[in-house]
Amino acid sequence: MTATNETRRKVFLGLLGGAAGLAFGGGAAARVAVDEASKVFRLDGGAATYAFGVNAGGQVQTLYWGAALAASDQLPAAVLTEGNSSNEMPVSVSPYEFAGFGGGLTTEPALKVRFPDGVRDLDLRYVGHQDKGDRLILQLKDVQRAVHVALTYAMDEATGILARSAVVENRTGSWIQVDQMAAACLNLPYSDDYQLSFLSGRWAGEFTLQTRAITPGAFVLESRKGVTSHQVNPWIAISRAATGEEAGPVWFGALGWSGNWRISVEMDAMGGVHASAGYNPFDFNYRLKHGESLASPVLHAGFSNEGFGGASRIFHRYQREKILPHAPAPRLRPVLYNSWEATFFDVTEAGQLALAEKAAGIGVERFVVDDGWFGARNSDKQGLGDWVVSRKKFPNGLGPLVKRVNELGMQFGLWVEPEMVNPDSDLYRAHPDWVINFPGRQRSQARNQLVLNLARKDVCEHLLKVLDGLVASHNIAYLKWDHNRAWSEPGWPEAAPDEQQRLYVVYVDKLYQLLAELRRRHPKLEIESCASGGGRVDLGIMRLTEQVWTSDNTDPYDRLVIQDGYSHAYAPAAMMAWVTDSPNFVNKRETSLEYRFLSAMQGGLGIGANLNHWKDEDFSKARRLIGEYKLIRATVQLGNLYRLVSPRNGSPRSATLSVSQDRKQAVLFAFLHSSMMRSAQQTIQLRGLDADTVYALRAIAGAAAPGTVARASGAYWMGHGLKVILEGDFQAAAFVLQAAAHT
Ligand code: DGJ
């Protein structure tokens, strides 16, 4: 095992109490059954069953993945699928769990290696397995050479979500080069009407849900940007044509990796649908000396028969209970204030103090100074990398501001972008060799900055020292950790030429280690993952960051669409949303303060407006709504989310409902975006309530139609529904239903 991978395992062992991040910190593992005679392996958890088997030739094939089977059901042993002619060798139409490139494979391999003698044939066969209680480990080996692969399967008992990963180990006596490596291949039952859904976008337009039919051929989703990417997120869902929001099968998967990744969804010649997810083979290779190994990222995959809503609810639960820091009980997100949109780079002690006083007055719990507090950072052109408090802006350092913020009863938080440097900075002048670069070639800038090479030991040591010092010397409760550009010229000149393309893996491993070490040294510290908005949201970084910045687009209407897409894959428990100024800086749209609040109250609530421009009535409205938010935030962040009316595709309306785990509280947010054609008032049927409990209705904002009952059973609210009065464009209402009694 390489140092890098060894450390990655240790990081996860330390954080999660298991190997390779797959053993769960709390809660039971799924039921694992192994039939030694037929070599059928079966995992049952939640409402799902996953089964695979070893065929007569030793190849490992998926046998079943879908709705839970009866415990007594026997799955037939694996057999190779036959093609319909000599053109289709069985290897290319069989549902392999983890195929090597070799033996005639013409579909996507999970692993592709080359040997020093030029051989590039890898034929992996089963050699053994270990049932570790909380996970199953399957050992494969090439038919001839000592290339060993360990596949890990860890299924969560509560949700049936399966965490899969692989480790390849070289015991050949010489080097091998890994050219392509997936975490897993997922094979779906046969069907001719599959649809693929994924999340795509751009800066200020992340998480747009896309759906298209799966047809013959391959469809590739990927990041080549060095970071997770706004353009496509590493999450997919495969559904049947008739699947809807609350009914029908959905198979889904998300790759926990914050660097270059690729998910390939393909239909083979006989109609079989396969999805493989892992490191992006683009510009990648990873050479392993004898005795070294490489671990894949983890692919988290689940199944729900309850539509996209059911799929996201179990995935949210899984993230709360298995992924997020402090799982299975992630901490509630405090209400924060962030100064970015109020001041941009014009940060001063007096200005921040004035904002802090006002923020405390409306009930903010965490005050965050964004970009511009350090070095010569007066714009995005200089100072990045110089993490020294600007004495021009803070003559006495950050101390007086932090002290006052704490006196006001708020925690203090700070923005950093540790992985980057402006060429116009002291750090770059001292260490021009610290950036990712190809010697003698241009160093392309984006936002006037370059990417520090975290694969270098000295860079990581420097960053740890600086960040540790910063957090230790101030009472910093939270860091907003930003990453504002895609990579270019991805060279690592200090490494040997045939080792340089390890960069894509080593960089991300080191980033995770840096975050983990900082958290270890400062156990109370919380971190937000931000990359020009939602460019680094994935289950890899989310193990190490309590919250994520969803988008720089804080327009409350656009944000509803972005939040809708986000919620298909990721939990509201980690999703941050801010109330900012109107008109919005991104699209100049004007909206009421109430509309902005109700849009932002659906995750972790932040205020990002310039409070110096607020009137008395704005402060009192904000104070009231923040007070209301604190009464419902546990339900919104940790409850079950029902997307009742979608805002997608220009829908004039939308609505979401969050129901607490004990079903004693439910919170409804309803929006009218466009009153075009004055269509009927909306009556919204709720979901997820206890039919026999009486719930009392209370408006947080807006109103129900005249004559609406004040109390009724869950059955009534779900069947009859609630008629909401919304008139005019960009109007919003919110209600809380509180369990009052049993019917
Ligand atoms: C990009 C982030 O997404 C913004 O919220 C802000 O922190 C800026 N960077 C600061 O440069």
Side-chain angles (χ1 to χ4, degrees):
M1 179 166 287
T2 61
T4 300
N5 279 283
E6 179 62 49
T7 328
R8 183 175 346 153
R9 286 188 156 226
K10 279 189 187 144
V11 166
F12 285 132
L13 274 165
L15 285 171
L16 305 166
L22 287 177
F24 297 130
R31 296 175 299 285
V32 176
V34 181
D35 185 328
E36 295 283 355
S38 62
K39 283 284 175 297
V40 170
F41 299 78
R42 175 173 164 171
L43 297 109
D44 285 275
T49 297
Y50 189 95
F52 56 92
V54 181
N55 67 28
Q59 291 138 321
V60 185
Q61 297 180 209
T62 308
L63 295 175
Y64 177 78
W65 182 28
L69 303 178
S72 56
D73 288 336
Q74 298 287 321
L75 283 145
V79 283
L80 276 181
T81 310
E82 290 299 328
N84 66 349
S85 78
S86 57
N87 280 303
E88 301 305 340
M89 295 171 72
V91 69
S92 285
V93 288
S94 291
Y96 283 122
E97 287 281 293
F98 196 88
F101 171 69
L105 188 82
T106 54
T107 47
E108 197 62 52
L111 185 64
K112 185 172 186 302
V113 301
R114 67 178 60 221
F115 297 92
D117 59 1
V119 168
R120 302 188 312 282
D121 185 65
L122 183 73
D123 190 348
L124 297 170
R125 308 282 169 127
Y126 167 87
V127 289
H129 70 269
Q130 291 162 278
D131 183 349
K132 297 267 191 185
D134 63 346
R135 61 200 193 278
L136 193 61
I137 298 183
L138 213 68
Q139 276 121 12
L140 313 180
K141 183 190 160 294
D142 178 61
V143 282
Q144 191 192 44
R145 302 190 180 197
V147 176
H148 293 257
V149 174
L151 305 181
T152 299
Y153 296 78
M155 186 182 263
D156 171 35
E157 186 188 35
T159 60
I161 290 171
L162 184 60
R164 282 193 56 187
S165 68
V167 177
V168 54
E169 188 181 351
N170 173 18
R171 292 190 219 151
T172 62
S174 186
W175 60 262
I176 64 168
Q177 182 170 300
V178 177
D179 286 325
Q180 180 168 343
M181 185 178 188
C185 182
L186 301 171
N187 302 295
L188 277 85
Y190 275 87
S191 166
D192 54 10
D193 66 350
Y194 278 132
Q195 312 267 324
L196 172 68
S197 296
F198 57 99
L199 297 167
S200 77
R202 64 203 70 84
W203 176 78
E206 300 88 336
F207 300 110
T208 310
L209 189 72
Q210 310 279 348
T211 302
R212 53 180 288 159
I214 297 179
T215 52
F219 188 69
V220 170
L221 304 165
E222 64 177 346
S223 168
R224 296 182 178 188
K225 299 188 171 183
V227 68
T228 319
S229 162
H230 303 77
Q231 203 174 326
V232 203
N233 187 274
W235 169 88
I236 57 164
I238 297 177
S239 56
R240 302 283 303 276
T243 299
E245 178 63 20
E246 293 296 341
V250 179
W251 294 259
F252 59 91
L255 191 70
W257 188 243
S258 311
N260 280 7
W261 58 270
R262 190 174 76 155
I263 300 178
S264 161
V265 180
E266 67 179 332
M267 183 184 280
D268 68 33
M270 302 307 291
V273 171
H274 321 280
S276 74
Y279 295 132
N280 194 336
F282 173 79
D283 194 43
F284 163 85
N285 66 57
Y286 199 107
R287 204 169 266 225
L288 296 174
K289 297 192 187 82
H290 171 80
E292 287 187 333
S293 63
L294 173 64
S296 76
V298 181
L299 176 65
H300 308 264
F303 171 81
S304 171
N305 235 341
E306 293 172 10
F308 287 93
S312 56
R313 281 189 292 278
I314 58 171
F315 209 24
H316 296 171
R317 175 173 183 184
Y318 176 75
Q319 289 164 34
R320 291 192 305 269
E321 295 182 358
K322 308 293 177 193
I323 301 288
L324 289 169
H326 309 291
R331 297 176 182 154
L332 286 177
R333 300 298 80 230
V335 178
L336 66 72
Y337 178 81
N338 180 294
S339 62
W340 175 241
E341 286 192 34
T343 65
F344 291 104
F345 294 99
D346 191 13
V347 174
T348 62
E349 184 181 290
Q352 296 293 313
L353 276 170
L355 289 168
E357 301 278 347
K358 295 184 172 87
I362 54 173
V364 165
E365 297 159 315
R366 174 179 285 171
F367 183 82
V368 183
V369 178
D370 209 280
D371 199 349
W373 57 268
F374 53 92
R377 185 78 168 168
N378 297 314
S379 72
D380 61 16
K381 292 194 173 51
Q382 72 276 90
L384 195 59
D386 299 338
W387 302 109
V388 179
V389 181
S390 162
R391 289 285 163 167
K392 277 198 188 132
K393 298 178 178 181
F394 296 92
N396 303 304
L398 284 178
L401 175 63
V402 179
K403 184 164 172 281
R404 183 65 192 139
V405 164
N406 291 161
E407 280 166 7
L408 288 166
M410 298 184 292
Q411 297 175 345
F412 183 76
L414 205 56
W415 177 95
V416 289
E417 192 180 5
E419 300 153 78
M420 302 287 165
V421 65
N422 283 131
D424 185 359
S425 66
D426 293 341
L427 184 72
Y428 188 76
R429 281 183 281 274
H431 301 287
D433 53 330
W434 276 13
V435 297
I436 289 173
N437 76 94
F438 289 127
R441 305 290 298 180
Q442 64 183 329
R443 299 180 177 195
S444 300
Q445 294 180 28
R447 210 191 190 209
N448 310 300
Q449 62 196 54
L450 298 167
V451 185
L452 290 173
N453 186 351
L454 264 61
R456 289 178 60 125
K457 197 162 172 273
D458 46 7
V459 170
C460 281
E461 283 170 357
H462 167 77
L463 291 179
L464 181 61
K465 191 165 157 227
V466 167
L467 294 167
D468 183 33
L470 201 58
V471 177
S473 56
H474 302 89
N475 192 17
I476 293 176
Y478 153 97
L479 289 176
K480 176 179 171 187
W481 187 299
D482 210 341
H483 177 292
N484 281 303
R485 63 157 293 181
W487 291 13
S488 61
E489 296 94 25
W492 177 8
E494 297 72 30
D498 54 18
E499 305 252 310
Q500 286 197 14
Q501 282 155 288
R502 283 179 168 214
L503 181 68
Y504 294 107
V505 174
V506 179
Y507 180 103
V508 180
D509 279 341
K510 295 287 184 187
L511 170 69
Y512 291 162
Q513 287 164 31
L514 186 57
L515 285 161
E517 179 58 17
L518 203 57
R519 296 185 66 98
R520 193 190 64 75
R521 293 188 188 187
H522 304 280
K524 289 192 185 146
L525 180 70
E526 294 195 351
I527 302 177
E528 173 172 308
S529 173
C530 168
S532 305
R536 188 152 65 190
V537 178
D538 63 78
L539 296 190
I541 201 96
M542 284 168 77
R543 287 185 184 278
L544 297 157
T545 58
E546 278 77 5
Q547 59 191 55
V548 296
W549 184 220
T550 325
S551 177
D552 275 354
N553 187 342
T554 54
D555 169 74
Y557 168 61
D558 281 7
R559 200 50 180 264
L560 288 175
V561 180
I562 291 169
Q563 290 173 183
D564 174 89
Y566 167 100
S567 75
H568 279 74
Y570 301 109
M575 181 188 82
M576 293 308 294
W578 300 349
V579 174
T580 56
D581 288 324
S582 171
N584 188 272
F585 90 106
V586 166
N587 59 14
K588 313 290 177 255
R589 183 180 283 121
E590 289 188 42
T591 49
S592 71
L593 188 58
E594 196 162 87
Y595 184 92
R596 282 175 269 154
F597 258 99
L598 298 197
S599 170
M601 279 162 69
Q602 298 181 52
L605 175 65
I607 313 295
N610 189 341
L611 302 180
N612 297 322
H613 298 162
W614 276 18
K615 302 191 184 70
D616 286 351
E617 68 206 58
D618 297 327
F619 284 107
S620 51
K621 194 169 278 176
R623 198 174 301 115
R624 186 181 78 75
L625 288 171
I626 290 173
E628 289 283 6
Y629 174 74
K630 289 176 183 171
L631 300 176
I632 56 158
R633 77 169 136 193
T635 298
V636 164
Q637 294 180 25
L638 309 178
N640 283 318
L641 176 68
Y642 295 83
R643 291 178 293 263
L644 300 179
V645 185
S646 164
R648 294 192 305 278
N649 306 319
S651 162
R653 308 190 164 94
S654 66
T656 62
L657 182 79
S658 303
V659 181
S660 64
Q661 295 301 332
D662 63 7
R663 297 198 288 176
K664 293 217 160 111
Q665 188 184 66
V667 184
L668 173 70
F669 293 99
F671 299 85
L672 178 64
H673 315 301
S674 165
S675 55
M676 194 182 155
M677 314 296 282
R678 291 192 60 86
S679 55
Q681 288 295 337
Q682 69 174 344
T683 297
I684 304 168
Q685 280 89 23
L686 310 190
R687 302 189 72 95
L689 303 177
D690 177 29
D692 298 331
T693 293
V694 171
Y695 293 88
L697 178 75
R698 187 173 68 78
I700 295 174
T708 298
V709 296
R711 296 154 71 98
S713 67
Y716 176 92
W717 298 121
M718 293 190 287
H720 175 277
L722 169 64
K723 189 167 178 180
V724 181
I725 298 287
L726 288 170
E727 281 173 350
D729 293 356
F730 301 115
Q731 299 299 308
F735 302 86
V736 57
L737 289 106
Q738 198 71 48
H742 237 62
T743 51

XYZ file of all heavy atoms in Angstrom, residues 429-458:
251
model
N 5.578 34.670 -4.428
C 6.926 35.221 -4.667
C 7.973 34.344 -3.975
O 9.052 34.111 -4.498
C 7.000 36.682 -4.180
C 6.361 37.660 -5.175
C 6.502 39.097 -4.729
N 5.532 39.445 -3.707
C 4.285 39.865 -3.957
N 3.875 40.002 -5.215
N 3.465 40.153 -2.979
N 7.635 33.816 -2.802
C 8.598 32.968 -2.074
C 8.650 31.551 -2.644
O 9.701 30.903 -2.602
C 8.219 32.929 -0.596
N 7.526 31.064 -3.152
C 7.474 29.648 -3.570
C 6.766 29.477 -4.911
O 5.708 28.828 -4.987
C 6.734 28.820 -2.510
C 7.342 28.852 -1.158
N 8.503 28.187 -0.847
C 6.952 29.498 -0.033
C 8.807 28.405 0.424
N 7.886 29.205 0.946
N 7.333 30.016 -5.970
C 6.653 29.861 -7.269
C 6.558 28.398 -7.707
O 5.738 28.061 -8.566
C 7.535 30.679 -8.228
C 8.851 30.809 -7.543
C 8.591 30.760 -6.069
N 7.358 27.551 -7.111
C 7.339 26.126 -7.484
C 6.242 25.351 -6.753
O 6.078 24.159 -6.973
C 8.701 25.499 -7.165
C 9.128 25.745 -5.726
O 8.738 26.797 -5.153
O 9.829 24.892 -5.155
N 5.483 26.013 -5.893
C 4.475 25.286 -5.106
C 3.170 25.041 -5.867
O 2.271 24.388 -5.360
C 4.162 26.066 -3.812
C 5.160 25.772 -2.719
C 6.356 25.142 -2.842
C 5.012 26.096 -1.330
N 6.986 25.056 -1.626
C 6.182 25.635 -0.669
C 4.032 26.735 -0.575
C 6.376 25.784 0.702
C 4.228 26.888 0.793
C 5.389 26.416 1.423
N 3.053 25.613 -7.050
C 1.785 25.434 -7.766
C 1.869 24.248 -8.729
O 2.956 23.834 -9.143
C 1.376 26.704 -8.555
C 1.143 27.863 -7.607
C 2.391 27.050 -9.632
N 0.715 23.747 -9.081
C 0.619 22.722 -10.118
C 1.081 23.366 -11.420
O 0.588 24.436 -11.800
C -0.850 22.259 -10.216
C -1.223 21.449 -8.971
C -1.102 21.469 -11.474
C -2.692 21.094 -8.886
N 2.041 22.781 -12.100
C 2.539 23.407 -13.340
C 3.363 22.425 -14.146
O 3.855 21.419 -13.632
C 3.392 24.638 -13.003
C 4.771 24.259 -12.482
O 5.750 24.182 -13.222
N 4.863 23.987 -11.180
N 3.511 22.735 -15.419
C 4.475 22.048 -16.278
C 5.632 23.011 -16.482
O 5.411 24.151 -16.958
C 3.858 21.705 -17.634
C 2.824 20.604 -17.585
C 1.555 20.802 -18.120
C 3.133 19.368 -17.039
C 0.608 19.788 -18.095
C 2.180 18.346 -17.012
C 0.920 18.555 -17.536
N 6.874 22.615 -16.165
C 8.003 23.541 -16.285
C 8.109 24.126 -17.691
O 7.945 23.417 -18.686
C 9.214 22.667 -15.972
C 8.676 21.510 -15.220
C 7.282 21.293 -15.700
N 8.337 25.410 -17.730
C 8.550 26.069 -19.011
C 7.275 26.354 -19.783
O 7.333 26.951 -20.860
N 6.150 25.916 -19.281
C 4.884 26.144 -19.968
C 4.116 27.262 -19.265
O 4.389 27.605 -18.125
C 4.016 24.870 -19.968
C 4.691 23.643 -20.531
C 4.891 23.740 -22.022
N 3.613 23.854 -22.724
C 3.493 23.958 -24.045
N 4.597 23.980 -24.807
N 2.319 24.055 -24.611
N 3.119 27.793 -19.951
C 2.298 28.835 -19.335
C 1.620 28.302 -18.072
O 1.393 27.100 -17.949
C 1.236 29.297 -20.319
C 0.255 28.189 -20.684
C -0.757 28.621 -21.726
O -1.114 29.777 -21.784
N -1.175 27.683 -22.547
N 1.310 29.217 -17.177
C 0.529 28.857 -15.992
C -0.798 29.603 -16.127
O -0.905 30.768 -15.742
C 1.271 29.259 -14.716
C 2.608 28.548 -14.585
C 3.365 28.927 -13.336
N 4.601 28.146 -13.257
C 5.355 28.020 -12.185
N 5.037 28.675 -11.072
N 6.446 27.287 -12.199
N -1.781 28.957 -16.691
C -3.050 29.638 -16.981
C -3.725 30.060 -15.687
O -3.878 29.261 -14.766
C -3.994 28.707 -17.741
O -3.396 28.318 -18.952
N -4.129 31.316 -15.651
C -4.803 31.804 -14.454
C -6.312 31.817 -14.664
O -6.804 32.009 -15.768
C -4.336 33.215 -14.118
C -2.870 33.262 -13.726
C -2.397 34.664 -13.396
O -3.168 35.512 -12.962
N -1.113 34.904 -13.608
N -7.021 31.616 -13.591
C -8.474 31.813 -13.583
C -8.753 32.547 -12.281
O -8.185 32.203 -11.242
C -9.212 30.486 -13.611
N -9.576 33.564 -12.336
C -9.769 34.484 -11.218
C -8.414 34.946 -10.666
O -8.214 35.058 -9.465
C -10.598 33.835 -10.101
C -11.425 34.864 -9.326
C -12.028 34.306 -8.069
N -12.984 35.242 -7.504
C -13.262 35.342 -6.221
N -12.680 34.565 -5.348
N -14.140 36.210 -5.799
N -7.472 35.116 -11.555
C -6.120 35.605 -11.218
C -5.410 34.688 -10.219
O -4.611 35.149 -9.419
C -6.186 37.018 -10.610
C -7.023 37.949 -11.450
O -6.719 38.182 -12.610
N -8.108 38.454 -10.878
N -5.714 33.422 -10.243
C -5.080 32.560 -9.249
C -4.609 31.246 -9.851
O -5.025 30.849 -10.940
C -6.019 32.316 -8.066
C -7.320 31.612 -8.388
C -8.341 31.752 -7.265
O -8.655 32.866 -6.821
N -8.865 30.632 -6.801
N -3.687 30.618 -9.104
C -3.127 29.319 -9.481
C -3.433 28.328 -8.362
O -3.777 28.733 -7.244
C -1.613 29.456 -9.685
C -1.187 30.416 -10.807
C 0.312 30.718 -10.724
C -1.517 29.835 -12.189
N -3.273 27.041 -8.685
C -3.626 25.992 -7.718
C -2.357 25.492 -7.035
O -1.415 25.071 -7.706
C -4.323 24.808 -8.424
C -4.791 23.771 -7.409
C -5.491 25.290 -9.278
N -2.347 25.546 -5.708
C -1.208 24.982 -4.977
C -1.231 23.464 -5.096
O -2.305 22.854 -5.107
C -1.276 25.381 -3.499
C -1.015 26.855 -3.181
C -1.290 27.138 -1.699
C 0.424 27.248 -3.534
N -0.042 22.888 -5.149
C 0.038 21.444 -5.315
C 0.017 20.750 -3.955
O 1.053 20.595 -3.302
C 1.309 21.079 -6.090
C 1.340 19.596 -6.399
O 0.512 18.834 -5.899
N 2.290 19.190 -7.220
N -1.155 20.317 -3.553
C -1.285 19.661 -2.248
C -0.593 18.302 -2.200
O -0.436 17.728 -1.126
C -2.766 19.488 -1.885
C -3.355 20.568 -0.989
C -3.301 21.922 -1.632
C -4.779 20.226 -0.583
N -0.209 17.791 -3.357
C 0.526 16.528 -3.355
C 1.925 16.719 -2.755
O 2.575 15.755 -2.361
C 0.627 15.980 -4.775
N 2.387 17.973 -2.705
C 3.707 18.245 -2.111
C 3.582 18.306 -0.594
O 2.725 18.991 -0.053
C 4.233 19.592 -2.618
C 4.663 19.607 -4.067
C 5.110 21.000 -4.439
N 6.223 21.462 -3.624
C 7.382 21.908 -4.104
N 7.578 21.962 -5.402
N 8.322 22.320 -3.297
N 4.545 17.633 0.048
C 4.542 17.580 1.516
C 4.687 18.975 2.112
O 3.975 19.342 3.054
C 5.716 16.684 1.948
C 5.650 16.179 3.343
C 6.593 14.971 3.500
C 6.709 14.545 4.949
N 7.727 15.225 5.709
N 5.619 19.768 1.514
C 5.876 21.094 2.100
C 4.648 21.998 1.996
O 4.363 22.785 2.900
C 7.108 21.762 1.456
C 7.134 21.681 -0.066
O 6.141 21.225 -0.658
O 8.167 22.072 -0.668
